[in-house]
C-alpha cells in the first residue's frame, strides 16, 4: 500500500514538474515562428511522454525482470531529463517569487505592475531573460549528462602517486602498486572499453595489485561476463582484494535469506576465479628479498548508516612485527572513524566507494564534487601526521552510466623510503 501511494505521489510530482517547465518553455519561445513553436512543443512533450512512460513501466515490472545494464540505462533515461527540469524549475520558481513579491508591492505602489495592452489590467509578467536562462540551463545540463555517458564512462585515466613511508624496508623502496576500486560490473555497457582499461593497467607492470571493493552492483552473476577480462590483472606479489558495501547484496530484494547468503558465497568464488586473494578481516605478510610488510584487509565498514561488517581488531591482530602496514578498506570514512584514533601505526590505507560522485570539476588544483559535503576524504591522497589515505575515484559507475569531470581511475602508487 505504501509503495502504491509513493508511486502515485511521485507520478503526480513528475507531471507537475513537466507542466511547470512547459509554462516557462512556452513563454521563452513565444516570439518564435508558430511552426517552430509547435516543433519544440512536440519534442518536449514527446520526450516527456517517453520518460514518464518509462518510469511507470519500471515501477510495474518485477525488480529482477530487467537486465542490470538495461535497468541502469532506463533509470538514466528517466533521471537525466527530470534532473534537468528540476534545475529549470528552480530558476523559474525564483522568478515566480519575484513576481509574487512584486504583486504584493503593487497593492501599495500601483506603478510596480504593468498594464496589459490586451486587457488594460495590471500584470506582473514573467521575465523573458529568466525563462530563457532556465530553459538553456536545463538543456545544457541534459546535454552534459548525455556527453558524460558517451565520452566519460570509459575514459580511463592513470593517476600516479608517490608516497614516502619512513619505516619502509629497503627491499620495498620503489615498489609499484596498482589499485582498482568500484568496478560495478553490472553497469558496464562497453566490454571492449573495459578490456582496454585493464590493458592500460597491465602495461604499467605493477609489482602488486589491490582491489578495494564493489565488484558488482548487487548480484554475483553480474561479473560472469567479465571474469575473462579482470582475471588478466596479475602481479608478481599477487592481487589482493576486499569487499565493498554493494558486494553483500544489501540493496536488492532477495526472495529469501538463503538466496542472499548464496549470492555472497558466489561472489567470494568469483574473486577466487579471478585469481584474487580475498581478505576477510585478516592480514598477511608481503615478502621481498627476506624483508616484509603487512597487508590488512577488512570487510566493508562505513560511518553513518553504511554497513559495518568489518572487524578491525580481528584484522589487525598479530601485526606488531610488520614495520609498515597497508590497509585495504572500501569506505574512506573508516579511516577517520576507526583507523586514525585507534590504529596509529597503519601507514597507508587504500579506499574507494565515493566515485567522486561521477560528477564534478578537476582542473589543476581545483577539485570539487557534491560528494565532498558527505565525505571529507573523497578523492586522491590525504595525510594526517605519518598516516596516509588514498581514495580511488572508481573504475566503473553506478546509477548514472557515465562520468562528468570525475573520470574513471587506475591508480599507480610508488612507495619510497621517507
Amino acid at each position: 500500500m505504501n509503495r502504491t501511494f509513493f508511486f502515485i505521489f511521485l507520478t503526480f510530482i513528475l507531471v507537475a514538474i513537466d507542466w511547470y517547465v512547459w509554462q516557462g518553455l512556452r513563454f521563452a519561445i513565444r516570439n518564435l515562428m508558430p511552426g517552430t513553436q509547435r516543433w519544440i512543443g512536440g519534442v518536449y512533450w514527446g520526450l516527456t511522454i517517453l520518460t514518464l512512460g518509462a518510469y511507470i513501466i519500471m515501477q510495474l515490472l518485477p525488480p529482477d525482470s530487467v537486465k542490470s545494464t538495461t535497468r541502469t540505462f532506463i533509470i538514466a533515461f528517466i533521471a537525466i531529463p527530470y534532473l534537468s527540469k528540476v534545475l529549470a524549475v528552480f530558476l523559474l520558481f525564483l522568478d515566480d517569487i519575484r513576481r509574487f513579491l512584486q504583486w504584493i508591492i503593487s497593492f501599495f505602489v500601483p506603478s510596480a505592475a504593468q498594464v496589459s495592452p490586451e486587457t488594460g489590467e495590471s500584470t506582473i509578467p514573467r521575465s523573458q531573460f529568466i525563462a530563457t536562462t532556465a530553459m538553456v540551463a536545463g538543456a545544457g545540463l541534459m546535454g552534459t549528462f548525455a556527453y558524460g555517458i558517451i565520452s566519460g564512462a570509459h575514459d580511463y585515466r592513470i593517476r600516479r602517486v608517490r608516497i614516502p613511508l619512513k619505516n619502509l624496508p629497503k627491499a620495498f623502496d620503489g615498489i609499484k602498486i596498482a589499485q582498482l576500486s568500484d568496478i560495478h560490473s553490472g553497469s558496464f555497457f562497453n566490454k571492449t572499453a573495459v578490456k582496454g582499461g585493464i590493458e592500460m593497467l597491465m602495461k604499467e607492470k605493477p609489482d602488486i595489485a589491490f582491489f578495494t571493493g564493489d565488484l558488482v552492483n548487487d548480484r554475483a552473476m553480474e561479473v560472469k561476463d567479465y571474469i575473462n577480462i579482470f582475471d588478466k590483472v596479475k602481479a608478481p606479489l599477487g592481487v589482493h582484494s576486499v569487499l565493498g558495501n554493494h558486494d553483500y547484496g544489501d540493496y536488492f530484494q532477495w526472495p529469501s535469506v538463503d538466496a542472499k547468503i548464496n549470492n555472497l558465497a558466489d561472489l567470494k568464488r568469483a574473486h577466487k576465479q579471478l585469481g584474487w586473494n580475498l581478505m576477510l578481516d585478516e592480514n598477511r605478510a608481503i615478502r621481498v628479498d627476506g624483508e616484509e610488510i603487512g597487508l590488512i584487509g577488512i570487510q566493508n565498514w562505513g560511518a553513518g548508516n553504511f554497513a559495518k561488517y568489518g572487524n578491525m581488531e580481528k584484522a589487525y591482530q598479530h601485526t606488531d612485527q610488520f614495520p609498515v602496514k597497508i590497509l585495504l578498506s572500501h569506505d574512506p570514512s573508516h579511516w577517520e572513524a576507526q583507523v586514525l584514533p585507534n590504529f596509529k601505526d597503519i601507514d597507508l590505507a587504500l579506499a574507494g566507494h565515493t566515485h567522486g560522485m561521477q560528477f564534478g570539476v578537476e582542473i589543476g588544483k581545483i577539485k570539487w564534487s557534491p560528494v565532498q559535503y558527505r565525505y571529507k576524504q573523497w578523492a586522491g591522497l590525504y595525510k594526517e601526521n605519518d598516516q596516509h589515505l588514498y581514495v580511488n575515484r572508481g573504475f566503473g559507475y553506478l546509477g548514472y552510466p557515465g562520468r562528468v569531470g570525475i573520470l574513471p581511475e587506475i591508480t599507480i602508487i610508488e612507495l619510497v623510503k621517507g
Side-chain angles (χ1 to χ4, degrees):
M1 185 66 180
N2 290 338
R3 188 173 183 273
T4 301
F5 173 78
F6 179 77
F7 167 63
I8 294 171
F9 176 74
L10 186 55
T11 301
F12 173 79
I13 294 296
L14 295 179
V15 171
I17 290 172
D18 294 328
W19 178 85
Y20 191 68
V21 173
W22 170 243
Q23 303 309 309
L25 177 60
R26 190 170 61 175
F27 185 83
I29 64 174
R30 62 178 181 161
N31 294 325
L32 299 179
M33 297 291 290
T36 303
Q37 291 184 44
R38 286 193 295 271
W39 182 83
I40 294 174
V43 171
Y44 176 84
W45 283 111
L47 179 61
T48 295
I49 291 169
L50 286 173
T51 52
L52 192 60
Y55 164 72
I56 292 171
I57 291 171
M58 284 292 287
Q59 295 301 311
L60 297 176
L61 289 174
D64 56 350
S65 63
V66 180
K67 188 178 177 182
S68 180
T69 306
T70 304
R71 177 177 287 273
T72 297
F73 268 91
I74 293 175
I75 291 173
F77 178 73
I78 298 167
I80 290 173
Y82 278 107
L83 284 173
S84 303
K85 288 178 182 179
V86 166
L87 176 59
V89 165
F90 173 74
L91 296 174
L92 291 171
F93 188 64
L94 290 179
D95 189 39
D96 283 343
I97 291 174
R98 175 196 65 82
R99 294 169 66 202
F100 175 74
L101 294 175
Q102 192 174 347
W103 176 72
I104 296 295
I105 293 171
S106 70
F107 283 100
F108 306 97
V109 184
S111 60
Q114 298 178 14
V115 177
S116 170
E118 290 85 8
T119 65
E121 297 177 352
S122 294
T123 63
I124 310 295
R126 184 184 290 278
S127 166
Q128 179 76 34
F129 173 77
I130 293 181
T132 303
T133 299
M135 297 306 110
V136 171
L141 183 62
M142 187 159 62
T144 298
F145 277 124
Y147 179 78
I149 296 173
I150 297 168
S151 176
H154 300 285
D155 189 5
Y156 301 110
R157 300 298 174 92
I158 292 178
R159 292 184 177 269
R160 304 180 190 280
V161 186
R162 199 167 186 259
I163 302 178
L165 302 179
K166 64 180 182 179
N167 295 321
L168 189 70
K170 184 177 180 180
F172 288 86
D173 191 9
I175 190 173
K176 185 185 288 188
I177 298 170
Q179 183 195 4
L180 285 178
S181 193
D182 299 88
I183 284 173
H184 289 284
S185 51
S187 297
F188 290 139
F189 61 88
N190 189 336
K191 198 170 183 178
T192 301
V194 174
K195 182 180 178 183
I198 296 305
E199 290 171 352
M200 285 176 64
L201 184 155
M202 292 312 299
K203 284 179 182 177
E204 295 294 317
K205 299 185 180 346
D207 298 304
I208 192 169
F210 300 140
F211 173 68
T212 46
D214 280 358
L215 182 59
V216 297
N217 295 341
D218 299 291
R219 294 170 288 180
M221 62 179 288
E222 295 167 6
V223 76
K224 181 181 177 182
D225 292 338
Y226 291 89
I227 293 290
N228 63 353
I229 292 179
F230 291 110
D231 68 0
K232 302 299 186 295
V233 179
K234 305 287 185 185
L237 297 176
V239 182
H240 308 271
S241 60
V242 292
L243 299 176
N245 56 305
H246 280 268
D247 293 323
Y248 298 89
D250 289 344
Y251 311 115
F252 186 77
Q253 190 173 350
W254 298 98
S256 67
V257 174
D258 285 344
K260 183 180 179 183
I261 293 172
N262 291 336
N263 178 74
L264 183 57
D266 289 341
L267 185 71
K268 292 175 181 178
R269 279 191 287 271
H271 279 253
K272 191 172 183 179
Q273 280 183 275
L274 291 168
W276 298 358
N277 303 307
L278 180 61
M279 302 184 71
L280 302 168
D281 300 335
E282 58 190 281
N283 63 77
R284 58 173 59 108
I286 305 298
R287 296 184 176 87
V288 175
D289 295 339
E291 296 185 297
E292 63 182 22
I293 62 174
L295 180 63
I296 301 169
I298 185 174
Q299 295 190 74
N300 189 76
W301 196 103
N305 295 324
F306 283 100
K308 296 173 175 59
Y309 290 104
N311 185 329
M312 189 61 191
E313 287 75 16
K314 178 184 175 184
Y316 178 83
Q317 64 185 354
H318 309 307
T319 61
D320 294 341
Q321 76 275 20
F322 299 124
V324 163
K325 301 178 183 67
I326 298 175
L327 170 68
L328 307 184
S329 180
H330 176 69
D331 192 318
S333 65
H334 181 228
W335 191 60
E336 272 206 343
Q338 281 198 334
V339 177
L340 290 182
N342 303 312
F343 302 92
K344 297 185 180 298
D345 60 346
I346 289 181
D347 303 89
L348 172 62
L350 301 178
H353 182 62
T354 72
H355 301 205
M357 206 172 173
Q358 299 167 214
F359 180 86
V361 176
E362 288 196 88
I363 302 174
K365 293 184 178 180
I366 299 173
K367 187 172 76 171
W368 175 88
S369 168
V371 79
Q372 70 189 56
Y373 304 115
R374 171 63 178 84
Y375 289 94
K376 184 177 177 181
Q377 296 86 21
W378 60 276
L381 183 64
Y382 301 86
K383 183 181 179 184
E384 187 76 28
N385 297 321
D386 291 326
Q387 294 182 273
H388 301 79
L389 167 70
Y390 189 86
V391 184
N392 181 286
R393 294 158 180 81
F395 186 84
Y397 38 84
L398 180 68
Y400 166 56
R403 286 175 175 261
V404 176
I406 309 294
L407 298 174
E409 173 178 355
I410 298 164
T411 313
I412 300 297
I413 299 170
E414 182 187 5
L415 299 185
V416 294
K417 179 80 173 177

